[in-house]
Amino acid sequence: MSNETAVVPEGVELTDGFNLLMDALEMNGITNIYGLLGIPVTEVGRMWQARGNKFYSFRNEQNAGYAASVAGYLTKKPGVCVTVSAPGFLNGLTALANATTNCFPMILISGSSEREIVDLQQGDYEEMDQLNIARPHCKASFRINRPEDIGVAVVRAVRTALSGRPGGVYLDIPARLFSTVMSAEEGKKSLWVPVDPAPAQLPAPSAVKRAADLIKNAKKPLILFGKGAAYAQCDADILSFVEETGIPFTPMSMAKGLISDTHPQCGAAARSMILQESDVVVLVGARLNWLLAHGKGKTWGAAPKKFVQIDIQASEIDSNVPIAAPLVGDIESCVNALRAELKGFKAPAEWLNAVSEKAAASRAKLAPKLSTATPVMNYHNSLGAIRDVLKNYPDITLVNEGANALDNARMVIDQYLPRKRVDTGTWGVMGIGMGSAVAAAAETGKPVVAVCGDSAFGFSGMEIETVARYDLPVTVIIMNNGGIYRGDEPSPDHQISCMLFNPNTRYDLLMESVGGTGVRVTTPEELSKALDASIKSGKPTLIEAIIDPAAGVESGRIGNLNIVSKVGTKK
Ligand code: OXT
Ligand code: ADP
Ligand code: MG
């Protein structure tokens, strides 16, 4: 190591890198670590547990990383994931990049091999330039070279992950540093807790006035909440903003429940209509990325549209279309400043009525499909059954991944409370299921239900052993239609279609084999019964729901992004 720590005189009480790292994390309020152990970080897990903290040990670092990122999202504190070097680090890096993309605060800590050997590429055990590989995938990538720098590194990691737009931070710890000793007294002095790591950022009064004027002159205003608004944890202010102004709102998927889906101003069931017909759209913690068709095109209709955008990241403004009234600041400050400026303002009642009527009509149209029996269950009646059970347990966290299993569940299952839905997020990434479920159970202490497509589940399926090992109140529902999107694709000669999986896979028995409860259901009634019993039991359970292989559609609701050959197969 380039900067050797000073020699400590004999008789002085010692500490080392392991202990200093844990002291620093504990000081910063971290209680749960998610990770996967081995050389050189094994002792991190043992010692963390010996100190009375929780270490959630996973079967693959990617899932541990997803867990840490979701812990960060749910708690507004950075979620911490610990991995071994090179391959373990790379597995965790996917989750770190996903956390950064989704604006979730997370710290990935990986052990790394000896720098003298790595830097000269002399073939060390798990050799890799982790520091530089991580850099483009997170907000900051730091290496700690001396034990007395652990404190400052953790403080910088925490502040960087939480401040401004939240995201991921990588901390690289060369193996030898963990056991390098220094004076315990000096070590203690090197640690501190950052003051106000996510400071309020107030919007300029002129910007608030500009936004309020635009809203006051709108005939058809709309508030669109993204997961940034859910993350901000100013739920009461947001509800007041909506109710005081009488403006209809619609949530992006993970903002569902920030205000109940059953609130009279919720326009989620009139989504196309409100996006197209609104004249002023107030974006609150939502980016105009692919999920919002970049703010353009037929999704947004032909009528001229003006945007107010509340975001902490100034460079997000104008990223796709002109933003008429940017409000750069934290959501709590911006929403409250707008409320003050809009005092006494009410949106036109005829607009809210039109939205409510459309939403009620959509709900009424969907309702019979959710309870109509079919020879084999489809997405509608199976999810209708799930929805009816979950109504009774509003504080359950719903984890959701898949294509049809995702899009239909988002539409059918109402959310009632903030931050109770975790899904595939900005990247539409499969495999977040089990990590998210473990984190949600660990961080909330409440039951979790994960609704997963059979393909999506496969990405993190072995983690049901993790769920069972920690005896978490998690129910996994696998929507088994035997494939990606559909299970009825014809197979070419002498091959099984590349889109199919074995529909007879006994996912329920997999759960039984790891000590949980497994149930296989074929009707909505069986599904309701099994789900209710599982939630009441508080025990790890997997319900395999057999879904009609023909029920899904290619790419779910985002078929427009799918690319198909214009000329067909040429042999
Ligand atoms: O207004 P209109 O008429 O438009 O109607 C809307 C609402 O008004 C209405 N609505 C309602 N009606 C009645 N009642 C209620 N309560 C109600 N609420 C709403 O419903 C419609 C739809 O509303 P919604 O959903 O709000 O709106 P819309 O238009 O869909 O919103 C647009 C989007 C873009 C915001 C939304 O669609 C969205 O959030 N989409 C996210 C999609 C996504 O991320 N998908 C995942 C990726 S797909 C693909 O890439 C997959 N892969 C590849 C792969 C991935 N992803 N990752 C990795 C690591 N490797 C590979 C794979 C492998 S999916 C996949 C596996 C798939 O197979 P599975 O077996 O897992 O799953 P199955 O498909 O089930 O087999
Ligand atoms: P969704 O996918 O739900 O539409 P996005 O992830 O695209 O949401 O957008 C979240 C946005 O919220 C990001 O642009 C991020 O900068 C912003 N954000 C996150 N936390 C805050 C906060 N406390 N205050 C203001 N903006 C925030
Ligand atoms: Mg499937």
Side-chain angles (χ1 to χ4, degrees):
M1 222 169 292
S2 53
N3 279 314
E4 282 294 354
T5 289
V7 177
V8 185
E10 243 177 81
V12 169
E13 195 195 336
L14 299 178
T15 187
D16 62 7
F18 281 120
N19 279 290
L20 284 166
L21 176 65
M22 285 173 222
D23 291 342
L25 292 173
E26 281 176 356
M27 267 178 103
N28 279 283
I30 306 299
T31 50
N32 296 335
I33 295 184
Y34 303 88
L36 200 162
L37 300 169
I39 299 168
V41 295
T42 310
E43 287 283 276
V44 173
R46 288 204 186 108
M47 291 167 72
W48 187 250
Q49 285 187 315
R51 286 169 169 236
N53 298 310
K54 283 265 168 72
F55 192 99
Y56 289 92
S57 198
F58 280 71
R59 309 300 294 254
N60 184 303
E61 294 86 349
Q62 198 178 104
N63 305 318
Y66 288 141
S69 70
V70 167
Y73 169 69
L74 295 176
T75 63
K76 241 185 155 183
K77 278 192 306 197
V80 174
C81 174
V82 169
T83 79
V84 304
S85 22
F89 155 78
L90 280 179
N91 287 345
L93 186 62
T94 304
L96 186 71
N98 186 57
T100 307
T101 301
N102 281 282
C103 316
F104 299 160
M106 167 182 172
I107 302 175
L108 175 67
I109 301 175
S110 297
S112 58
S113 296
E114 299 312 332
R115 282 187 55 199
E116 306 88 280
I117 306 176
V118 173
D119 290 353
L120 269 174
Q121 299 182 20
Q122 292 176 306
D124 204 2
Y125 168 73
E126 296 192 347
E127 177 178 295
M128 178 173 272
D129 180 9
Q130 297 168 199
L131 182 76
N132 285 307
I133 290 170
R135 188 155 279 146
H137 303 292
C138 54
K139 288 182 76 179
S141 178
F142 301 127
R143 177 182 287 135
I144 314 174
N145 289 302
R146 304 182 301 178
E148 58 266 41
D149 291 336
I150 288 175
V152 66
V154 169
V155 166
R156 290 197 75 190
V158 168
R159 187 179 285 286
T160 307
L162 291 178
S163 60
R165 171 180 281 174
V169 175
Y170 175 59
L171 278 186
D172 190 79
I173 308 193
R176 198 186 301 156
L177 180 71
F178 284 111
S179 60
T180 304
V181 294
M182 69 179 289
S183 136
E185 198 188 327
E186 290 304 313
K188 201 170 172 194
K189 281 195 221 151
S190 70
L191 306 179
W192 77 93
V193 177
V195 175
D196 201 6
Q201 295 189 24
L202 274 62
S206 57
V208 177
K209 186 164 183 321
R210 182 170 47 215
D213 286 347
L214 199 61
I215 295 169
K216 282 179 194 164
N217 287 315
K219 294 198 171 49
K220 297 179 172 183
L222 166 68
I223 302 172
L224 203 158
F225 293 113
K227 57 183 169 313
Y231 172 80
Q233 291 196 17
C234 52
D235 311 332
D237 299 323
I238 281 179
L239 180 62
S240 300
F241 174 45
V242 163
E243 293 188 338
E244 285 162 7
T245 58
I247 301 175
F249 72 91
T250 193
M252 297 301 287
S253 64
M254 281 178 61
K256 268 171 77 82
L258 173 56
I259 300 175
S260 172
D261 281 334
T262 56
H263 190 281
Q265 284 168 254
C266 181
R271 191 172 192 276
S272 288
M273 175 228 180
I274 46 178
L275 294 191
Q276 284 165 13
E277 291 188 18
S278 53
D279 56 0
V280 171
V281 180
V282 185
L283 300 163
V284 186
R287 287 170 282 187
L288 283 175
N289 57 13
W290 71 278
L291 288 155
L292 284 170
H294 305 282
K296 316 177 234 201
K298 63 178 184 342
T299 301
W300 291 94
K305 200 144 328 248
K306 293 218 158 105
F307 289 100
V308 175
Q309 183 162 25
I310 299 180
D311 207 292
I312 202 150
Q313 176 87 5
S315 61
E316 187 56 42
I317 310 297
D318 291 333
S319 57
N320 285 276
V321 292
I323 300 297
L327 270 182
V328 176
D330 74 277
I331 288 168
E332 184 176 349
S333 301
C334 292
V335 161
N336 285 324
L338 259 188
R339 282 175 65 203
E341 196 66 35
L342 286 171
K343 230 178 189 85
F345 163 80
K346 270 283 176 209
E350 52 277 22
W351 166 234
L352 180 58
N353 291 342
V355 173
S356 305
E357 269 170 34
K358 173 70 189 167
S362 300
R363 281 176 167 267
K365 196 169 159 205
L366 182 64
K369 293 191 195 156
L370 303 183
S371 53
T372 303
T374 46
V376 186
M377 272 195 293
N378 60 26
Y379 288 98
H380 283 126
N381 51 25
S382 56
L383 288 164
I386 295 171
R387 179 180 90 150
D388 288 346
V389 174
L390 294 188
K391 257 184 207 161
N392 304 319
Y393 304 97
D395 63 355
I396 269 180
T397 304
L398 179 74
V399 172
N400 192 198
E401 60 178 342
N404 296 281
L406 173 83
D407 294 338
N408 287 297
R410 186 181 60 245
M411 178 175 71
V412 170
I413 301 176
D414 285 329
Q415 304 284 153
Y416 308 93
L417 294 170
R419 295 171 295 285
K420 294 294 180 191
R421 182 182 159 89
V422 177
D423 65 28
T424 54
T426 304
W427 266 351
V429 62
M430 300 299 118
I432 51 90
M434 296 306 102
S436 304
V438 169
E443 301 293 335
T444 67
K446 304 242 166 71
V448 176
V449 173
V451 175
C452 308
D454 54 332
S455 162
F457 171 75
F459 287 72
S460 67
M462 194 61 216
E463 302 297 352
I464 52 172
E465 191 274 329
T466 310
V467 169
R469 188 166 14 103
Y470 291 104
D471 197 23
L472 296 171
V474 171
T475 306
V476 182
I477 303 176
I478 299 187
M479 310 293 275
N480 185 6
N481 66 343
I484 300 179
Y485 311 137
R486 295 173 69 96
D488 62 348
E489 179 152 318
S491 292
D493 286 348
H494 313 301
Q495 283 193 62
I496 296 167
S497 160
C498 50
M499 301 301 280
L500 297 183
F501 299 126
N502 179 357
N504 300 317
T505 305
R506 294 297 301 264
Y507 297 103
D508 56 331
L509 298 184
L510 284 181
M511 187 51 133
E512 293 271 333
S513 78
V514 296
T517 302
V519 194
R520 203 168 207 237
V521 300
T522 56
T523 65
E525 293 71 29
E526 287 172 2
L527 178 51
S528 301
K529 214 168 128 215
L531 178 57
D532 197 55
S534 156
I535 294 170
K536 287 205 170 93
S537 78
K539 291 288 175 194
T541 305
L542 188 150
I543 302 172
E544 178 178 355
I546 304 301
I547 304 292
D548 184 349
V553 294
E554 176 127 337
S555 302
R557 292 269 302 171
I558 53 172
N560 56 312
L561 301 181
N562 201 22
I563 307 286
V564 290
S565 167
K566 293 205 170 78
V567 293
T569 308
K570 300 247 185 225
K571 285 202 179 159

